[in-house]
Amino acid sequence: MNILFLTYGHVSKMRGGIDRVTDVLARSFITRGYNIYMISVCKPHKGDSSESYQYILPKESILSQENTQYLSDFLANNKIDIIINQSERIAIFRLILQVKGKTPVLSVIHTDPLSVVKGVRDNWDYWKLHEKRWKFLLLSPYYMLRTILRYYFRYHSIKKHHKYFYENNDGIVLLSEKFKEPFLHLINISQSNKLFSISNPLSYQQTRNIEKYQKEKIVLYVSRLDYSPKRLDRILKVWSIIGNHVGWRLMIVGDGPDAILYKNLAMKYQLRNIDFMGQTDPSPLYKRAQILCVSSTYEGFSLVLTEALQYGVIPVAFDSFESVHDIIDTGKNGFLVKPFQINYYANILKSLMFNDNLRQQIQMNIQTDTSFFNRFNINHITDEWNDLLSRFIKK
């Protein structure tokens, strides 16, 4: 079987998110005897890994004639049996449609189907954060109108996008069974045989020997530092509410366009016991940390949650996206907080930090939960993909 992954960014095991997932899945397919090819729009960055089966479109202008000819020739010369589209960009999908012929196409939606609609509240909070209080109150009718209009246009935009993808793909893959209902409701369809769900696999080839790690009083945050949807400002506020940290440190791993904003916010709150670590491999910190904080407005599938659980780190997250229930069983292997109750989040985090018995019990639950490791194990996820691919490829 010859499989082509089409992506926007260069796939590298050194990255996170879609890139890491695609790399893990591709390597597993190869062990099953599949021939794997990858084509990306973007070139690799410094430090990225590259494999012999990775290619780059000749032009950055996605719908250029050169790209169309290149992809058409690639499909024919390599006898591609199926295309897995890992991008939600309309231009990339249109490029595929121009050249695919009878080759089946599966598109994976890697985020919450209602992501851009849920993200509207971030715009409101961003304005509130940046404007002086008196000015925000004075301009609140203006901001309210902008919010309503933005919600309206984003809702209809994402509806049009998802409907276009649904009608023109052979199949749509969501990251959780729980995303199916909101997706179908959005495009006004009651049921479907074109909609599938397969979770992301675990990021690390990690045994369950969690007890071997020497855990320290570390609360960890791992994310790209952009305001929406990750919302590190919520965790900084939580840390300020807790106040007395008694030996605990908040370590923030990641970089991004809003790094300076967050460092200034930490200074404004006069936060202590906090470290901005920059972009670095989080796995050594997973081994040392005891608690992970996630504060996103939405996610498709939060890889940092499963990564943390692999290392026995207790996750705390807002119950703001459906797939989080696939990962966290609140009170057993972590905690979910009603969106976006900052004070309650602070109380949960404080309890975990200062209640050794509670923390040790949750860690023991994580250690003994075989279902988690079986559910997201790469072999199980590859089996699910194999079953799905067999529906579309003629023997």
Side-chain angles (χ1 to χ4, degrees), residues 6 56 132 153 179 195 233 241 247 273 305 332 365 384 386 392 394:
L6 202 59
I56 303 168
K132 293 182 179 179
F153 287 116
F179 281 140
L195 203 58
D233 60 297
I241 291 171
N273 306 313
L305 292 177
K332 293 186 177 180
N365 293 343
E384 291 190 327
N386 188 62
F392 295 93
K394 296 179 181 179

Side-chain angles (χ1 to χ4, degrees), residues 88-116:
E88 296 167 46
R89 293 172 182 258
I90 289 291
I92 292 178
F93 186 51
R94 284 178 176 163
L95 175 64
I96 295 172
L97 293 180
Q98 287 178 9
V99 301
K100 79 179 192 70
K102 295 183 179 180
T103 307
V105 180
L106 297 175
S107 284
V108 185
I109 294 182
H110 282 273
T111 190
D112 186 324
L114 295 175
S115 58
V116 297

Side-chain angles (χ1 to χ4, degrees), residues 58-110:
K59 298 293 182 181
E60 291 184 4
S61 177
I62 295 172
L63 292 172
S64 66
Q65 183 59 41
E66 292 90 339
N67 287 350
T68 303
Q69 189 63 51
Y70 178 87
L71 185 57
S72 178
D73 292 344
F74 194 97
L75 295 177
N77 294 338
N78 294 284
K79 299 180 179 178
I80 298 300
D81 294 306
I82 193 164
I83 300 169
I84 300 178
N85 174 28
Q86 294 280 61
S87 173
E88 296 167 46
R89 293 172 182 258
I90 289 291
I92 292 178
F93 186 51
R94 284 178 176 163
L95 175 64
I96 295 172
L97 293 180
Q98 287 178 9
V99 301
K100 79 179 192 70
K102 295 183 179 180
T103 307
V105 180
L106 297 175
S107 284
V108 185
I109 294 182
H110 282 273

Side-chain angles (χ1 to χ4, degrees), residues 234-341:
R234 291 171 175 149
I235 301 304
L236 297 181
K237 185 64 177 177
V238 165
W239 199 245
S240 70
I241 291 171
I242 293 174
N244 186 2
H245 309 122
V246 193
W248 285 83
R249 296 196 70 81
L250 172 61
M251 292 190 170
I252 298 165
V253 176
D255 202 353
D258 289 314
I260 298 299
L261 165 70
Y262 288 132
K263 290 176 182 178
N264 290 337
L265 197 58
M267 292 175 60
K268 177 183 176 181
Y269 290 155
Q270 298 182 334
L271 298 183
R272 296 176 297 169
N273 306 313
I274 181 172
D275 300 301
F276 285 87
M277 309 296 292
Q279 191 67 43
T280 186
D281 178 9
S283 56
L285 287 170
Y286 283 135
K287 294 177 182 178
R288 296 165 54 197
Q290 298 198 57
I291 304 169
L292 175 86
C293 287
V294 172
S295 51
S296 303
T297 302
Y298 60 84
E299 293 277 358
F301 184 95
S302 181
L303 281 178
V304 296
L305 292 177
T306 53
E307 289 171 0
L309 287 167
Q310 281 189 267
Y311 286 99
V313 184
I314 303 169
V316 183
F318 287 113
D319 187 2
S320 56
F321 52 100
E322 285 81 352
S323 61
V324 74
H325 290 273
D326 296 339
I327 304 169
I328 296 179
D329 187 350
T330 192
K332 293 186 177 180
N333 68 344
F335 289 92
L336 294 176
V337 179
K338 185 176 180 180
F340 291 95
Q341 296 187 2

Side-chain angles (χ1 to χ4, degrees), residues 174-176 197-201 301 326 375-376 381 384-385:
L174 304 174
L175 299 186
S176 172
S197 67
I198 302 178
S199 296
N200 282 338
F301 184 95
D326 296 339
R375 189 163 65 252
F376 298 114
I381 299 300
E384 291 190 327
W385 268 104

